[in-house]
Amino acid sequence: MYDIRGLNEECGVFGIWNHPHAATLTYMALHSLQHRGQEGAGIVCSNGESLFGARGMGLLTEAISDAQLESLQGFQNAIGHVRYATTGASEIANVQPFLFKHSKGDLGLAHNGNLTNAVQIRHALESEGSVFQTTSDSEVLAHLLIRGKSPNIKTNQKAALNQVKGAFSCVMLNTNQLAAVRDNNGVRPLMLGEVDGAYCVASETCAFQAIGATYIRDIEPGELITFSGENDIDYDYYSTNINHNMCSMEYVYFARPDSEFHKHSIYNVRKALGKKLASEMGIEADIVIGVPDSSLQAAKGFSEYTGIPNEQGLLKNRYIGRTFITPDQSVREKQVRMKHSPIRDVIEGKRVVVIDDSIVRGTTSKYIVKALKSAGAKEVHMGISSPPLVDPCYYGIDVSTHAELMAAQHTVEEMKEMIGADSLTYLSVEGMHEVFREFDSKGECDACFTGNYPIEIVDHQLPEVKELKRRGV
Amino acid sequence: MYDIRGLNEECGVFGIWNHPHAATLTYMALHSLQHRGQEGAGIVCSNGESLFGARGMGLLTEAISDAQLESLQGFQNAIGHVRYATTGASEIANVQPFLFKHSKGDLGLAHNGNLTNAVQIRHALESEGSVFQTTSDSEVLAHLLIRGKSPNIKTNQKAALNQVKGAFSCVMLNTNQLAAVRDNNGVRPLMLGEVDGAYCVASETCAFQAIGATYIRDIEPGELITFSGENDIDYDYYSTNINHNMCSMEYVYFARPDSEFHKHSIYNVRKALGKKLASEMGIEADIVIGVPDSSLQAAKGFSEYTGIPNEQGLLKNRYIGRTFITPDQSVREKQVRMKHSPIRDVIEGKRVVVIDDSIVRGTTSKYIVKALKSAGAKEVHMGISSPPLVDPCYYGIDVSTHAELMAAQHTVEEMKEMIGADSLTYLSVEGMHEVFREFDSKGECDACFTGNYPIEIVDHQLPEVKELKRRGV
Amino acid sequence: MYDIRGLNEECGVFGIWNHPHAATLTYMALHSLQHRGQEGAGIVCSNGESLFGARGMGLLTEAISDAQLESLQGFQNAIGHVRYATTGASEIANVQPFLFKHSKGDLGLAHNGNLTNAVQIRHALESEGSVFQTTSDSEVLAHLLIRGKSPNIKTNQKAALNQVKGAFSCVMLNTNQLAAVRDNNGVRPLMLGEVDGAYCVASETCAFQAIGATYIRDIEPGELITFSGENDIDYDYYSTNINHNMCSMEYVYFARPDSEFHKHSIYNVRKALGKKLASEMGIEADIVIGVPDSSLQAAKGFSEYTGIPNEQGLLKNRYIGRTFITPDQSVREKQVRMKHSPIRDVIEGKRVVVIDDSIVRGTTSKYIVKALKSAGAKEVHMGISSPPLVDPCYYGIDVSTHAELMAAQHTVEEMKEMIGADSLTYLSVEGMHEVFREFDSKGECDACFTGNYPIEIVDHQLPEVKELKRRGV
Amino acid sequence: MYDIRGLNEECGVFGIWNHPHAATLTYMALHSLQHRGQEGAGIVCSNGESLFGARGMGLLTEAISDAQLESLQGFQNAIGHVRYATTGASEIANVQPFLFKHSKGDLGLAHNGNLTNAVQIRHALESEGSVFQTTSDSEVLAHLLIRGKSPNIKTNQKAALNQVKGAFSCVMLNTNQLAAVRDNNGVRPLMLGEVDGAYCVASETCAFQAIGATYIRDIEPGELITFSGENDIDYDYYSTNINHNMCSMEYVYFARPDSEFHKHSIYNVRKALGKKLASEMGIEADIVIGVPDSSLQAAKGFSEYTGIPNEQGLLKNRYIGRTFITPDQSVREKQVRMKHSPIRDVIEGKRVVVIDDSIVRGTTSKYIVKALKSAGAKEVHMGISSPPLVDPCYYGIDVSTHAELMAAQHTVEEMKEMIGADSLTYLSVEGMHEVFREFDSKGECDACFTGNYPIEIVDHQLPEVKELKRRGV
């Protein structure tokens, strides 16, 4: 029996068609998308006849050696992938892009998101003789793509895409075509760009900036864009059943602040979330600080709305690497100090508002309140620039069980006590949506805040998956 | 289009059922089989429910870390594989045992040999929707095994095995069964043993010695033995069409001298090959030396037959590792000296017979004759303890084209000149077979010496494979 | 002839006496001091009888393995060092702490700073028979310490310290004593702390925060503090000739913002530098942004003084690792984009003030102005929160020749043109000193801004050093 | 207090003067000397002005990367060193050649052997102010060399060499001279050669063979040869007090069989040792086998003398690397099988003579007898081709205490019982010397067999060394 670890990943993808430095630009683009995944990275290239790839574990610079990158020079087409560091056993077999060998032509696939009916389809494929080497949902999609019977590759792609449910922003490299597709709910971002006359796609626009590409526009939910020939681009949709369920957490936490959705920078969205939180929170304080790096903008917005001065009262150590293991409890307690440190004479004697983007298990929040108080803060009020995380995500984010979520187990009042803060305020769900709409979003998934899942979670109705969950796997 | 590199591999396999230290014994056994493959190694274990594996590139000690081996403790069943270092690009994806995930149960597969109709079957499977991640023929066999429709696993195994042609000695680990099979021509060896009351199988008996196991007997061509339950063993055949075509080169070169086939040590077989060569060669000389390590026994046999003293006149450097690359020709010429060195005062002034097991490209032979002459040898007569290599092997040995084979391009007389020897004598094909029969062999493949291929090379009739060959790929 | 590369290093030191987790706390402290040096790291421990050490190249987590750290458990006394990544060849032999073996007792030494008469002393020692294994000035100090003839270790320490000139903050571990000393000009910082009843010293107070230690006070210029016995502390001075020449660049750039000098956080000092710059600059603009990370505070101070809104308009990629080398010019030009990226809709259409702490070669400044303009900035005014860097430092900072310094070669007006900014303003030398004095500094070295070197550069008068300089070594 | 671990090392050295590929040839030579040391390796080169080096831990191919070797191209003069893998903690600081920096000129030093008055000299030097970074006796010699006051470098070398006692074969690289010296007792070998018109020296002649050099002659005890200018060679002696105490174990065990001492191959010396043993042993048996690899020649000689057939009845696994650690006793017992394995049908039913070169702790001997008996040997008679090892070596071999030596603790009869052999016979001391003399040796050290130490062990009279020994350090 295979497990369902594939359900909880967050990744970054990139693709480029007909550029003389395809592999190098893909490498640079993946470097800028590294925040979306640090477990592994890979590049698959094509020379129009065959596909070749390199992939490895760890950060991009560890995963792909200079010699490997060198070996991919001279190919005009490429896709790339960075993979999220999920906890537990990680295996090279799971690192993407996947590369499949077929007499009709090779296929490279890089996928961000999560399919919600992968187990169901896999059952069906296995009963027809298919054989799988990983537990990844992406391998299921690849099988569907390759099994297509039509001589027309796009016909096969549409057929395959219409069978899968869930969240997916994918790039698919064939010998004579590159395709980019975003699921018809538009959960994960996917962007279209152009560099030196060649088209490219990326999970975020920061990748365009990294390679000097122009950001053309967001790829729409259900849209299937294919590149072929010298510069031929074909705009199409694989589905007419379009919804707008962009992941709220992409806005709140995942995306890089200099990335843009709908031509608006995430930087400004996060400032606006901070302003909205300020408008709902109504607090008196001396300074407001953000937890670095992801909450600095919300803190700035909070400050602008309230007039409370914004200070950089917490520092993050830039050299966090693997930490050593010590059996001594007194040393372990000191270890948490290695990540964040407060600036005493900014904090001392002040009523502090500290802004964070979310609370998952509450461990960091507890440490931060304690650190601020021991640095002399008179009061510590915590503001969260998103609503309480109460439900798991099945669309590609690694928060999979209620048990892990502090807000799923406790009231906000209880959480405040546990964290040790003088007050704890979350942004409202309505407030959050209002902000997104100001920035031209057409609709967002808020399932992790509300339990309203916009896409059916088919696999979770399967008896064996229920059994796995019952057993706590 | 996939290539056909899979055609030329030599490997070692091991399997053990229901032993408390299954993974550790597999590790030790693979260590003793390391001479059969240095490119990669892996172990797949089972706890009766799921399969888990570890594999890596390089020698066993590099491929599998202590931590990985530790993580495989507590499993009772295991298979392992060492993979041959073929030239050119090698990829982690090709390292075995393969591990396939399936809702009906996982499958681990380790394969030594080469299928001759893998491309044909692959075409058929692809047309039915199968998807492949490597170009390996072993992946084809795995697909056939998993696609079996019968609820009886052995029925499926027999059906799959009857579809493939070629050379294969395989171990297949299912959640509740371990199967060992040898192809019905018996090209590659496979041995049955027992340790601490648990059954085990291995490519060579040296693996049994390494783990303190008893060597029960050789597994027969076409035999399919399955282990299950606590100690249940089931002897069966997947085919009634049995032939005896044991690879001659296993006797001549591949197997370790302390390994036994049909209860006879390879050591004694090789001595007998040397004796037979001596009986055919008829030469006068002062000393006979063997090229270390594989030809020392043949030289000893030669000496015993002729009475010419046997000396260890050539030494092999034990610390050969990766060699550095130098652009300077004069330095490159010196580099070959790093591998073998003659002992001057053993050689000086002597008429020397030097015995080697085979000549592939002739490079080493040339160097050895030159080294012996420069150490003062009066005459150098080269004797080869097997017939001339004139045809490629399609059953698992890495000699794939006529162009690479000196004896396919030149007469023995020409070779003698090129090598610089005073004479060059090969063992006759008949002489070789006679020796094997003395040691209870029931028949051997001699295709690489005669072109008589006992198993049809199906794939080589396929148009695209012909095309690849035409283009010299 | 030895070279003089030792002249240009910046490092971090730590020491702790009589704590059960001495090595582990040293490791954690060095982790927090990693910004002071990334080329190598080491720890030397003592059990009261002998000294043992571990050191390696690279970041702390690479330099010292878990196994090495484990091997240092059980020792009560320790010193540690992180070493700056100077360009060019780096060698393990140069990584500190140095460990010297002597029959009178071992000596461990970790040094931050640079001696200005090391070559002169070395000549004298060599003529008396001393032998050196590195070109490091620190090895010279160690020789002086060990050659002391007095049975009283502090007498020898004082004698040695009085012979050397230059900048040094050192920790010296003997078998029965730990000594911490700061040169009598107080160029490099050195702080005294206490944790769990044990004394410790560190280059910066952020190390105290990392291990939960209390910051007692700054060690004074010329002060020599020794720790021995269980908790014995001895306050002394090795010199009565005290000057106050704290390195201005420690305030401006080197120290971590959460570190404190004279009980004031660098964070607040840098904000004040930004305010002072604003008071001198007098500019109209729409937004002010800081170059991350070191100039964010100055930008904030600038904003507070002028009322111009402060935005985080430039982002820094957190995953900068080694970069690959590409022969293609068009790709190389894209590569600089990988480090910093502007946020378009923050910048677009705005008159931007961008604050940086210093300009060395001008490369980064050029890129930043260009990036801001291409992101739509209407005007870009650059403000530098320190005076122009016109002279090299001989006291431990890696800016060694006039040729490297843009401001030593060009007027501010020329630099403005070269950088492409609409204006370029530096903080005045007087303004800078005023700010430091507000934060209780008693005097600073400003040699790199003025050429007024407070400590004699003895070695630069030596003929062979002049010759080296003439030849451009 | 420093320890005395430096007393027990065995190493290999090489030097070459004025060859365009000095570093590469040194690398190749060290590769052939790898059997003399596997702990670390290094090369120091000179361009006539300065010295540059590269060194590292492990085998040569691990210790020196291709890039490092590349960086040493273009230098004409070089020395190299391989270092023995002593047990326990090993440190990069101890890897040679040592490189010392001095204003009068750099010095590189590579040393094979052991000084017996290093501690005494070190005390004296320390009292004069010298500072040491290792506990190595070689560092002491370097200090003496550098402290020389004469403007004539050879005068200084002679003065230094006359101060040290013990065993040393050294190469010393100065900027304008390479010197090779062998101690006046001639304990360790040192050979003179020539390649492409350039002179070279090496611990063994196998290094000459590896680089295509001609073996000129053995360097004599007390001889000091210096190379300078283009091809100037100066033959001299540093001492007139010459003795001939070549280490017997070099003949018996250390040197490679293809190396030559006094123009005789070690191969033939070892055969003669086997013959002499046979003449003294007088045994009836069916076969004689040697323990691979070092005892194969002695077994061959034994066979020639007695007429008992020589078979290769024991195999050595060529892929021994690091072994894993297992807590399970039953697995540990199996592990010893991984190193040697008997060939059953060679051994079965036979009376076996097994020849080994020496017995240290007896562990291997016990396993071999057991393995041969379990392979069916009727009798196992063990013959040792050297006398019993009863005393430690102070001249460079890693056998340092009586407690480790089985023969120092037990009679031969007791040893026979412990090992499980049917008989155990050692070569006599006289017999051994007779053999060496047949091969033109002028005299040998037999201290480890007789306790007759030809060179005074000065340091062992020092109180602190006695104290260390008393405490069992």
Side-chain angles (χ1 to χ4, degrees), chain D residues 385-402:
Chain D
S385 62
S386 66
L389 276 172
V390 293
D391 279 296
C393 176
Y394 299 110
Y395 308 140
I397 296 182
D398 182 27
V399 179
S400 50
T401 70
H402 288 86

PDB file of all heavy atoms in Angstrom, chain D residues 385-402:
ATOM      1  N   SER D 385      57.858 -16.252   7.976  1.00  0.00           N
ATOM      2  CA  SER D 385      59.107 -16.001   7.264  1.00  0.00           C
ATOM      3  C   SER D 385      59.973 -14.920   7.907  1.00  0.00           C
ATOM      4  O   SER D 385      60.741 -14.234   7.237  1.00  0.00           O
ATOM      5  CB  SER D 385      58.808 -15.646   5.805  1.00  0.00           C
ATOM      6  OG  SER D 385      58.042 -14.481   5.740  1.00  0.00           O
ATOM      7  N   SER D 386      59.807 -14.739   9.222  1.00  0.00           N
ATOM      8  CA  SER D 386      60.671 -13.844   9.993  1.00  0.00           C
ATOM      9  C   SER D 386      60.643 -14.355  11.430  1.00  0.00           C
ATOM     10  O   SER D 386      59.779 -15.158  11.787  1.00  0.00           O
ATOM     11  CB  SER D 386      60.166 -12.392   9.901  1.00  0.00           C
ATOM     12  OG  SER D 386      58.923 -12.262  10.538  1.00  0.00           O
ATOM     13  N   PRO D 387      61.556 -13.876  12.289  1.00  0.00           N
ATOM     14  CA  PRO D 387      61.555 -14.342  13.677  1.00  0.00           C
ATOM     15  C   PRO D 387      60.402 -13.746  14.485  1.00  0.00           C
ATOM     16  O   PRO D 387      59.740 -12.805  14.032  1.00  0.00           O
ATOM     17  CB  PRO D 387      62.923 -13.845  14.206  1.00  0.00           C
ATOM     18  CG  PRO D 387      63.734 -13.543  12.986  1.00  0.00           C
ATOM     19  CD  PRO D 387      62.747 -13.083  11.969  1.00  0.00           C
ATOM     20  N   PRO D 388      60.171 -14.251  15.693  1.00  0.00           N
ATOM     21  CA  PRO D 388      59.083 -13.702  16.531  1.00  0.00           C
ATOM     22  C   PRO D 388      59.299 -12.227  16.853  1.00  0.00           C
ATOM     23  O   PRO D 388      60.418 -11.825  17.200  1.00  0.00           O
ATOM     24  CB  PRO D 388      59.155 -14.544  17.809  1.00  0.00           C
ATOM     25  CG  PRO D 388      59.860 -15.802  17.418  1.00  0.00           C
ATOM     26  CD  PRO D 388      60.818 -15.417  16.323  1.00  0.00           C
ATOM     27  N   LEU D 389      58.247 -11.449  16.740  1.00  0.00           N
ATOM     28  CA  LEU D 389      58.277 -10.018  17.077  1.00  0.00           C
ATOM     29  C   LEU D 389      58.137  -9.887  18.583  1.00  0.00           C
ATOM     30  O   LEU D 389      57.050 -10.083  19.131  1.00  0.00           O
ATOM     31  CB  LEU D 389      57.099  -9.298  16.407  1.00  0.00           C
ATOM     32  CG  LEU D 389      57.258  -8.854  14.960  1.00  0.00           C
ATOM     33  CD1 LEU D 389      55.918  -8.348  14.441  1.00  0.00           C
ATOM     34  CD2 LEU D 389      58.310  -7.748  14.872  1.00  0.00           C
ATOM     35  N   VAL D 390      59.228  -9.548  19.268  1.00  0.00           N
ATOM     36  CA  VAL D 390      59.172  -9.517  20.722  1.00  0.00           C
ATOM     37  C   VAL D 390      59.420  -8.139  21.324  1.00  0.00           C
ATOM     38  O   VAL D 390      59.211  -7.929  22.509  1.00  0.00           O
ATOM     39  CB  VAL D 390      60.168 -10.528  21.331  1.00  0.00           C
ATOM     40  CG1 VAL D 390      59.733 -11.959  21.015  1.00  0.00           C
ATOM     41  CG2 VAL D 390      61.588 -10.276  20.802  1.00  0.00           C
ATOM     42  N   ASP D 391      59.886  -7.193  20.511  1.00  0.00           N
ATOM     43  CA  ASP D 391      60.187  -5.881  21.070  1.00  0.00           C
ATOM     44  C   ASP D 391      59.659  -4.775  20.162  1.00  0.00           C
ATOM     45  O   ASP D 391      59.622  -4.931  18.940  1.00  0.00           O
ATOM     46  CB  ASP D 391      61.706  -5.719  21.244  1.00  0.00           C
ATOM     47  CG  ASP D 391      62.190  -6.392  22.524  1.00  0.00           C
ATOM     48  OD1 ASP D 391      61.765  -5.934  23.596  1.00  0.00           O
ATOM     49  OD2 ASP D 391      62.948  -7.365  22.419  1.00  0.00           O
ATOM     50  N   PRO D 392      59.271  -3.657  20.764  1.00  0.00           N
ATOM     51  CA  PRO D 392      58.730  -2.561  19.937  1.00  0.00           C
ATOM     52  C   PRO D 392      59.819  -1.914  19.089  1.00  0.00           C
ATOM     53  O   PRO D 392      61.008  -2.027  19.381  1.00  0.00           O
ATOM     54  CB  PRO D 392      58.185  -1.563  20.954  1.00  0.00           C
ATOM     55  CG  PRO D 392      58.771  -1.927  22.265  1.00  0.00           C
ATOM     56  CD  PRO D 392      59.167  -3.359  22.204  1.00  0.00           C
ATOM     57  N   CYS D 393      59.390  -1.239  18.055  1.00  0.00           N
ATOM     58  CA  CYS D 393      60.291  -0.487  17.190  1.00  0.00           C
ATOM     59  C   CYS D 393      60.235   0.985  17.565  1.00  0.00           C
ATOM     60  O   CYS D 393      59.156   1.531  17.756  1.00  0.00           O
ATOM     61  CB  CYS D 393      59.878  -0.674  15.729  1.00  0.00           C
ATOM     62  SG  CYS D 393      60.872   0.327  14.593  1.00  0.00           S
ATOM     63  N   TYR D 394      61.375   1.627  17.678  1.00  0.00           N
ATOM     64  CA  TYR D 394      61.414   3.070  17.944  1.00  0.00           C
ATOM     65  C   TYR D 394      61.915   3.846  16.739  1.00  0.00           C
ATOM     66  O   TYR D 394      62.212   5.021  16.834  1.00  0.00           O
ATOM     67  CB  TYR D 394      62.308   3.351  19.160  1.00  0.00           C
ATOM     68  CG  TYR D 394      61.802   2.696  20.416  1.00  0.00           C
ATOM     69  CD1 TYR D 394      62.483   1.632  20.990  1.00  0.00           C
ATOM     70  CD2 TYR D 394      60.617   3.129  21.018  1.00  0.00           C
ATOM     71  CE1 TYR D 394      62.007   1.017  22.133  1.00  0.00           C
ATOM     72  CE2 TYR D 394      60.131   2.518  22.159  1.00  0.00           C
ATOM     73  CZ  TYR D 394      60.831   1.462  22.717  1.00  0.00           C
ATOM     74  OH  TYR D 394      60.348   0.858  23.845  1.00  0.00           O
ATOM     75  N   TYR D 395      62.017   3.163  15.613  1.00  0.00           N
ATOM     76  CA  TYR D 395      62.632   3.789  14.437  1.00  0.00           C
ATOM     77  C   TYR D 395      61.649   3.972  13.290  1.00  0.00           C
ATOM     78  O   TYR D 395      62.042   4.062  12.139  1.00  0.00           O
ATOM     79  CB  TYR D 395      63.826   2.945  13.967  1.00  0.00           C
ATOM     80  CG  TYR D 395      64.817   2.622  15.051  1.00  0.00           C
ATOM     81  CD1 TYR D 395      65.411   1.380  15.137  1.00  0.00           C
ATOM     82  CD2 TYR D 395      65.172   3.596  16.009  1.00  0.00           C
ATOM     83  CE1 TYR D 395      66.321   1.079  16.136  1.00  0.00           C
ATOM     84  CE2 TYR D 395      66.078   3.296  17.014  1.00  0.00           C
ATOM     85  CZ  TYR D 395      66.654   2.041  17.078  1.00  0.00           C
ATOM     86  OH  TYR D 395      67.546   1.752  18.070  1.00  0.00           O
ATOM     87  N   GLY D 396      60.360   3.969  13.617  1.00  0.00           N
ATOM     88  CA  GLY D 396      59.417   4.338  12.571  1.00  0.00           C
ATOM     89  C   GLY D 396      58.353   3.317  12.202  1.00  0.00           C
ATOM     90  O   GLY D 396      57.620   3.514  11.242  1.00  0.00           O
ATOM     91  N   ILE D 397      58.223   2.249  12.953  1.00  0.00           N
ATOM     92  CA  ILE D 397      57.168   1.271  12.666  1.00  0.00           C
ATOM     93  C   ILE D 397      56.165   1.283  13.811  1.00  0.00           C
ATOM     94  O   ILE D 397      56.534   1.403  14.968  1.00  0.00           O
ATOM     95  CB  ILE D 397      57.751  -0.140  12.467  1.00  0.00           C
ATOM     96  CG1 ILE D 397      58.644  -0.152  11.238  1.00  0.00           C
ATOM     97  CG2 ILE D 397      56.637  -1.160  12.328  1.00  0.00           C
ATOM     98  CD1 ILE D 397      59.229  -1.506  10.929  1.00  0.00           C
ATOM     99  N   ASP D 398      54.923   1.134  13.458  1.00  0.00           N
ATOM    100  CA  ASP D 398      53.843   1.298  14.411  1.00  0.00           C
ATOM    101  C   ASP D 398      53.594   0.029  15.236  1.00  0.00           C
ATOM    102  O   ASP D 398      52.526  -0.571  15.175  1.00  0.00           O
ATOM    103  CB  ASP D 398      52.586   1.681  13.625  1.00  0.00           C
ATOM    104  CG  ASP D 398      51.406   1.926  14.553  1.00  0.00           C
ATOM    105  OD1 ASP D 398      51.634   2.302  15.707  1.00  0.00           O
ATOM    106  OD2 ASP D 398      50.273   1.716  14.100  1.00  0.00           O
ATOM    107  N   VAL D 399      54.588  -0.418  15.974  1.00  0.00           N
ATOM    108  CA  VAL D 399      54.379  -1.515  16.936  1.00  0.00           C
ATOM    109  C   VAL D 399      55.043  -1.049  18.205  1.00  0.00           C
ATOM    110  O   VAL D 399      56.237  -1.183  18.393  1.00  0.00           O
ATOM    111  CB  VAL D 399      55.034  -2.832  16.471  1.00  0.00           C
ATOM    112  CG1 VAL D 399      54.794  -3.901  17.534  1.00  0.00           C
ATOM    113  CG2 VAL D 399      54.506  -3.267  15.141  1.00  0.00           C
ATOM    114  N   SER D 400      54.264  -0.436  19.073  1.00  0.00           N
ATOM    115  CA  SER D 400      54.936   0.352  20.091  1.00  0.00           C
ATOM    116  C   SER D 400      54.974  -0.265  21.476  1.00  0.00           C
ATOM    117  O   SER D 400      55.756   0.172  22.299  1.00  0.00           O
ATOM    118  CB  SER D 400      54.297   1.733  20.155  1.00  0.00           C
ATOM    119  OG  SER D 400      52.923   1.593  20.255  1.00  0.00           O
ATOM    120  N   THR D 401      54.187  -1.234  21.790  1.00  0.00           N
ATOM    121  CA  THR D 401      54.240  -1.754  23.156  1.00  0.00           C
ATOM    122  C   THR D 401      54.324  -3.272  23.164  1.00  0.00           C
ATOM    123  O   THR D 401      53.816  -3.945  22.268  1.00  0.00           O
ATOM    124  CB  THR D 401      52.993  -1.337  23.958  1.00  0.00           C
ATOM    125  OG1 THR D 401      51.880  -2.052  23.437  1.00  0.00           O
ATOM    126  CG2 THR D 401      52.750   0.145  23.877  1.00  0.00           C
ATOM    127  N   HIS D 402      54.965  -3.763  24.183  1.00  0.00           N
ATOM    128  CA  HIS D 402      55.072  -5.207  24.341  1.00  0.00           C
ATOM    129  C   HIS D 402      53.699  -5.846  24.446  1.00  0.00           C
ATOM    130  O   HIS D 402      53.479  -6.952  23.982  1.00  0.00           O
ATOM    131  CB  HIS D 402      55.895  -5.545  25.600  1.00  0.00           C
ATOM    132  CG  HIS D 402      57.347  -5.249  25.434  1.00  0.00           C
ATOM    133  ND1 HIS D 402      57.879  -4.009  25.679  1.00  0.00           N
ATOM    134  CD2 HIS D 402      58.380  -6.037  25.027  1.00  0.00           C
ATOM    135  CE1 HIS D 402      59.186  -4.044  25.453  1.00  0.00           C
ATOM    136  NE2 HIS D 402      59.520  -5.255  25.047  1.00  0.00           N
TER     137      HIS D 402
END
